């Protein structure tokens, strides 16, 4: 029957399409199960964990704070990269409970590190928010409850969103950013330079930080035009009074170049890979007190 309906259009029988759909469905189910196992009150077999990557001052080589990065330990498939599941989590809405769990976990961890490692400027935590979560009603109430529950000073929390999220709905984004600012929670523009950067909106949105996408840092010192772009972004940060973080710093040469360009902060494998909370505590004991 299928044959007569498709009229010789054999596309519908393409086995690779079938495999793809099946795999996707499987991943979606696994994701749902993993979120329940991790976030429900009786969570007994958490599959997600939060890793932390330190962000350094380039001038002083001191740790300024961290970025929280989710990791999924799948019981059969092993570690799955966020690159491979964030998009599906967004499409299915599962990203909201996941992002919230990451946010809360990271706030508790930061509070503990701030107590253990007091600094003249307290350590900070950057947390990625998906667009779906950023525009979800109730985010501000959730944020308030997390700040209250953890006792964290809002000014030490940073939320990272991308340019495309802002562009999606500039009016709603402005309202959200204002509400963050009212709580002194900082806003970072992530992967800067890869989206539809519009200089006209940049100065009207209260971002505290620009994070230069790692594709630009990777090419530092290899191509003059690329270096000029990085220089322009750092200067833009100066003009707009925004901090600038270079993402994906992998070599000492890149650090030297960023220093020459007066880039404030750097994050990348050269400084440290993302680590779980325990490993990061060990790292901090060596880096801060040692
Ligand atoms: P991102 O926000 O741009 O995070 C930085 C990514 O660069 C991380 O990838 C980090 O591990 C990687 N990275 C750091 N230093 C280096 C380096 O020197 N070289 C290279 N090649 N890579 C480096 P990761 O952890 O795989 O995360 C990928 C993306 O997934 C993140 O990009 C972020 O957009 C998203 N993501 C991660 N965690 C969350 C989360 O909790 N919620 C949401 N909504 N998105 C998340
Ligand atoms: Mg980020
Ligand atoms: Mg991001
Ligand atoms: Mg980024």
């Amino acid at each position: 029957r299928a044959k007569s309906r498709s009229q010789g259009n054999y596309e519908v029988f393409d086995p690779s399409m079938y495999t793809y759909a099946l795999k996707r469905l499987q991943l979606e189910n696994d994701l749902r199960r993993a979120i329940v196992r991790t976030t429900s009150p009786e969570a007994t077999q958490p599959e997600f964990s939060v890793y932390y990557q330190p962000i350094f001052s380039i001038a002083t080589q001191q740790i300024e704070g961290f970025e929280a990065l989710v990791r999924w330990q799948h019981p059969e498939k092993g570690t799955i990269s966020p690159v491979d599941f964030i998009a599906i989590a967004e499409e299915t809405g599962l990203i909201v409970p996941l992002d919230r769990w990451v946010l809360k976990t990271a706030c508790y961890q930061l509070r503990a590190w701030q107590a253990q490692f007091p600094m003249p400027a307290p350590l900070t935590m950057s947390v990625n928010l998906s667009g779906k979560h950023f525009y979800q009603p109730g985010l501000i109430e959730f944020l308030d409850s997390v700040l209250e529950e953890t006792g964290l000073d809002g000014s030490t929390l940073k939320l990272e969103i991308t340019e495309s999220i802002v562009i999606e709905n500039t009016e709603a984004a402005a309202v959200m950013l204002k509400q963050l600012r009212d709580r002194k929670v900082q806003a970072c523009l992530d992967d800067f330079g890869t989206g539809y950067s519009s200089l006209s909106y940049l100065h009207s949105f209260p971002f505290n930080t620009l994070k230069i996408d790692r594709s630009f840092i990777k090419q530092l010192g290899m191509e003059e035009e690329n270096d000029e772009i990085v220089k322009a972004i750092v200067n833009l940060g100066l003009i707009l009074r925004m901090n600038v973080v270079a993402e994906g710093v992998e070599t000492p040469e890149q650090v030297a170049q960023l220093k020459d360009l007066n880039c404030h902060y750097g994050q990348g494998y050269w400084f440290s890979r993302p680590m779980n909370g325990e490993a990061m505590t060990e790292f901090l004991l060596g880096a801060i007190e040692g």
Side-chain angles (χ1 to χ4, degrees):
R1 212 152 31 94
K3 196 176 174 187
S4 67
R5 217 179 16 161
S6 68
Q7 294 290 326
N9 181 358
Y10 289 98
E11 267 167 19
V12 280
F13 299 117
D14 183 342
S16 71
M17 259 174 72
Y18 176 74
T19 313
Y20 173 80
L22 200 66
K23 271 194 177 156
R24 221 203 104 102
L25 196 64
Q26 174 93 56
L27 195 63
E28 200 180 306
N29 284 335
D30 290 357
L31 202 55
R32 212 173 287 278
R33 180 202 57 201
I35 288 170
V36 170
R37 283 187 176 173
T38 310
T39 66
S40 69
E42 64 280 3
T44 44
Q45 300 159 286
E47 292 183 24
F48 290 108
S49 57
V50 183
Y51 272 46
Y52 302 94
Q53 187 177 36
I55 299 170
F56 283 75
S57 156
I58 288 183
T60 67
Q61 303 276 306
Q62 292 289 310
I63 294 180
E64 185 268 342
F66 313 88
E67 177 171 5
L69 297 159
V70 72
R71 294 289 177 268
W72 182 9
Q73 191 63 37
H74 190 287
E76 292 106 38
K77 294 179 187 133
T79 308
I80 304 181
S81 161
V83 187
D84 296 321
F85 68 82
I86 292 287
I88 297 179
E90 280 176 352
E91 285 166 37
T92 53
L94 292 167
I95 193 70
V96 175
L98 181 61
D99 265 5
R100 289 190 176 187
W101 176 79
V102 171
L103 178 64
K104 197 169 181 170
T105 305
C107 285
Y108 269 108
Q109 180 63 81
L110 179 63
R111 192 73 195 86
W113 282 334
Q114 285 176 345
Q116 191 176 356
F117 305 102
M119 313 263 272
L123 293 164
T124 64
M125 183 69 71
S126 281
V127 181
N128 291 281
L129 286 195
S130 95
K132 193 141 204 173
H133 186 196
F134 184 68
Y135 291 124
Q136 181 85 7
L139 171 61
I140 291 294
E141 288 77 6
F142 177 74
L143 199 60
D144 284 340
S145 75
V146 170
L147 291 177
E148 161 112 44
E149 184 181 327
T150 58
L152 197 70
D153 185 338
S155 66
T156 61
L157 177 63
K158 305 183 180 190
L159 299 180
E160 298 192 359
I161 60 171
T162 59
E163 297 159 272
S164 53
I165 295 176
V166 177
I167 294 293
E168 197 182 309
N169 189 343
T170 48
E171 273 171 42
V175 171
M176 276 306 301
L177 289 169
K178 161 117 190 8
Q179 287 181 291
L180 295 183
R181 177 158 272 201
D182 289 344
R183 284 152 181 83
K184 303 201 164 51
V185 171
Q186 301 191 46
C188 307
L189 208 43
D190 202 0
D191 309 334
F192 188 70
T194 58
Y196 296 93
S197 314
S198 163
L199 297 181
S200 67
Y201 77 68
L202 244 195
H203 74 96
S204 59
F205 286 96
F207 284 99
N208 306 83
T209 300
L210 293 179
K211 296 190 80 170
I212 310 176
D213 189 73
R214 71 164 183 265
S215 55
F216 297 103
I217 308 308
K218 198 178 176 156
Q219 294 189 68
L220 265 180
M222 292 183 197
E223 200 203 331
E224 203 183 318
E225 214 169 87
N226 174 75
D227 293 2
E228 289 299 326
I229 293 173
V230 174
K231 196 170 169 180
I233 299 177
V234 172
N235 288 333
L236 191 64
L238 284 175
I239 294 165
L240 298 171
R241 286 185 290 278
M242 295 177 186
N243 290 316
V244 178
V245 179
E247 301 191 282
V249 180
E250 293 186 353
T251 69
E253 290 77 23
Q254 290 165 350
V255 178
Q257 267 154 335
L258 290 164
K259 197 169 185 173
D260 282 346
L261 294 174
N262 293 316
C263 182
H264 311 97
Y265 300 104
Q267 171 184 0
Y269 296 164
W270 188 78
F271 293 107
S272 163
R273 294 213 167 228
M275 294 180 232
N276 68 30
E278 251 174 75
M280 185 52 70
T281 301
E282 286 301 309
F283 182 89
L284 292 172
L285 283 169
I288 294 179
E289 291 179 344

